[in-house]
Amino acid sequence: MLDYSVASKTMGGSSAGADISYLHQATLMEVRDFAQLDVSVTSQIESLGKVVVAALNGYALGGGLEIAESCTLRIAVQHAKMGHPEVRIGAVAGFGGTTKTP
């Protein structure tokens, strides 16, 4: 039997990802724990077993974009701004999103 149930969560506004100032002062273990939590969240989205749609209407930067990248589909308005600004400071996208984008 097919499961036609729908999971829905609406988030408003923009998502700029991690607080770089926090990560700058955090210990290596705190940064690791933060990254592991974020990878866990994106993995749960990917393995939900439902179509997950990211509706982008504003800024989706860094970790915010990586959450969108973990969704099945991404729909963006024409004026949406997306990117990985963390590369400007020599950091990599820490949630694995750039390795998952087709």
Side-chain angles (χ1 to χ4, degrees):
M1 177 172 227
L2 295 175
D3 178 5
Y4 291 103
S5 62
V6 175
S8 175
K9 173 66 177 156
T10 303
M11 296 169 41
S14 299
S15 181
D19 179 354
I20 299 298
S21 62
Y22 163 75
L23 294 177
H24 182 69
Q25 59 87 28
T27 67
L28 290 176
M29 296 302 281
E30 289 170 331
V31 172
R32 184 201 66 176
D33 292 345
F34 177 77
Q36 285 178 334
L37 174 64
D38 294 327
V39 168
S40 173
V41 168
T42 57
S43 294
Q44 288 178 44
I45 292 170
E46 292 168 352
S47 62
L48 188 60
K50 308 262 184 236
V51 174
V52 180
V53 179
L56 307 173
N57 181 19
Y59 288 90
L61 303 172
L65 179 56
E66 290 192 79
I67 290 171
E69 290 168 338
S70 69
C71 295
T72 313
L73 300 170
R74 290 156 296 284
I75 300 172
V77 295
Q78 191 169 4
H79 64 270
K81 304 292 184 194
M82 296 168 265
H84 287 286
E86 61 271 25
V87 299
R88 291 185 185 159
I89 61 168
V92 296
F95 306 171
T98 57
T99 61
K100 299 172 188 170
T101 302

